Amino acid sequence: MDKSLIQNNIRKLRFEQDEMTQKDLADKVGVTRQTIVAIENAKYSPSLELAFRIAQVFNVPLEEVFSYHPEADKKRSKKIV
Amino acid sequence: MTYQEKTTTVSLMSTLLIFGFYLVNALPLMQSEPMNSTAIFSLWATIIVLSIIVNIVSSILALIVFNVIQMIRTHEEESDIMDERDKLIGLKGTRNSYVTFSLGVLVSMVTLVMNMPAVVMFNLLVISGLAAQVVGDVSRLYLYRRGV
């Protein structure tokens, strides 16, 4: 399965928050650690609500956590053509 | 392997066991002596109802046994959180199950249209039901591994 078009800085933000563990973040936003792992590896795009909750934990705007890369989608479409 | 993957694998194993048991025991019934239509309908209706009940009960039992073994091994109770990703994967697995079962039902109806024996239709119904569960579990495992 292709990686998501939504990339994130969660790993970096966790590092900046005294190496917050994936489990801690998962507990704070109410999901499993596996979901945080999947989001970090861009294998799962979270819902808007979960994305906001993650941004709230790091106390940063949503755009600092997640970024959208439509060019990856264009490359994917070209490959198919 | 995560807890969700383990439970899906346990469910898959129990379905495959029932599938194997069905193929070994129920299929030869089809080749045995020919029966009149009333007897066939009654026998296969019983087999279908039994296979549904056995499937549900065995899945529950397998999960209970798995959880007990897991608790003894790790000395901790698994979190029962089912988050949005688990729900999405579950829904996609269920969708694939329904598609498989619907195709099975369609094919089994086609056998009736083609004037094949009712036994073939019943067999296809049971097999597509079990195959649907296998497809659902395999797709859940795939989605957990490769991402949604």
Side-chain angles (χ1 to χ4, degrees):
Chain A
M1 196 160 283
D2 285 320
K3 284 205 167 187
S4 165
L5 302 178
I6 298 172
Q7 302 297 314
N8 66 83
N9 296 316
I10 295 178
R11 178 71 195 91
K12 180 175 147 257
L13 288 163
R14 281 199 301 112
F15 177 75
E16 287 168 359
Q17 297 263 331
D18 292 332
E19 271 295 336
M20 178 193 283
T21 63
Q22 291 171 329
K23 180 86 179 77
D24 285 342
L25 177 59
D27 289 343
K28 282 181 180 162
V29 295
V31 296
T32 58
R33 192 183 69 80
Q34 286 73 33
T35 297
I36 298 296
V37 174
I39 295 171
E40 272 193 24
N41 295 330
K43 284 186 171 181
Y44 172 64
S45 300
S47 66
L48 204 50
E49 191 186 337
L50 177 56
F52 273 111
R53 282 208 299 265
I54 292 171
Q56 224 166 34
V57 168
F58 294 122
N59 209 17
V60 292
L62 190 64
E63 310 84 68
E64 272 189 44
V65 186
F66 296 99
S67 51
Y68 180 57
H69 297 271
E71 62 274 15
D73 195 29
K74 281 179 193 163
K75 277 180 197 167
R76 210 186 287 173
S77 307
K78 275 182 188 170
K79 265 187 197 172
I80 295 168
V81 173
Chain B
M1 198 184 261
T2 65
Y3 176 73
Q4 302 289 354
E5 285 174 76
K6 284 178 193 166
T7 51
T8 309
T9 309
V10 169
S11 162
L12 179 63
M13 291 301 159
S14 77
T15 309
L16 286 175
L17 270 177
I18 295 167
F19 213 153
F21 183 81
Y22 173 80
L23 290 177
V24 170
N25 294 291
L27 273 188
L29 276 177
M30 196 172 88
Q31 278 114 27
S32 61
E33 62 201 271
M35 288 176 267
N36 62 47
S37 61
T38 320
I40 286 177
F41 275 85
S42 167
L43 172 70
W44 282 95
T46 312
I47 288 176
I48 288 177
V49 170
L50 274 179
S51 68
I52 291 170
I53 293 171
V54 167
N55 206 352
I56 293 170
V57 171
S58 68
S59 294
I60 293 171
L61 280 178
L63 278 179
I64 291 172
V65 171
F66 165 75
N67 276 316
V68 169
I69 293 171
Q70 181 83 355
M71 259 182 75
I72 292 169
R73 275 182 59 197
T74 60
H75 296 288
E76 58 186 47
E77 209 165 330
E78 276 297 336
S79 130
D80 56 354
I81 290 181
M82 190 166 179
D83 61 25
E84 57 176 46
R85 181 169 155 267
D86 296 322
K87 284 177 191 158
L88 183 64
I89 290 175
L91 282 172
K92 287 190 174 186
T94 308
R95 178 201 60 192
N96 294 349
S97 280
Y98 280 146
V99 169
T100 310
F101 188 62
S102 305
L103 286 175
V105 170
L106 181 72
V107 172
S108 60
M109 292 303 125
V110 169
T111 61
L112 283 187
V113 173
M114 293 168 70
N115 287 324
M116 291 169 94
V119 177
V120 177
M121 185 265 291
F122 280 120
N123 257 306
L124 278 172
L125 275 181
V126 176
I127 289 173
S128 61
L130 289 168
Q133 197 155 347
V134 171
V135 167
D137 285 339
V138 169
S139 29
R140 273 180 214 111
L141 278 177
Y142 176 82
L143 291 169
Y144 272 119
R145 282 284 156 115
R146 301 296 305 273
V148 189

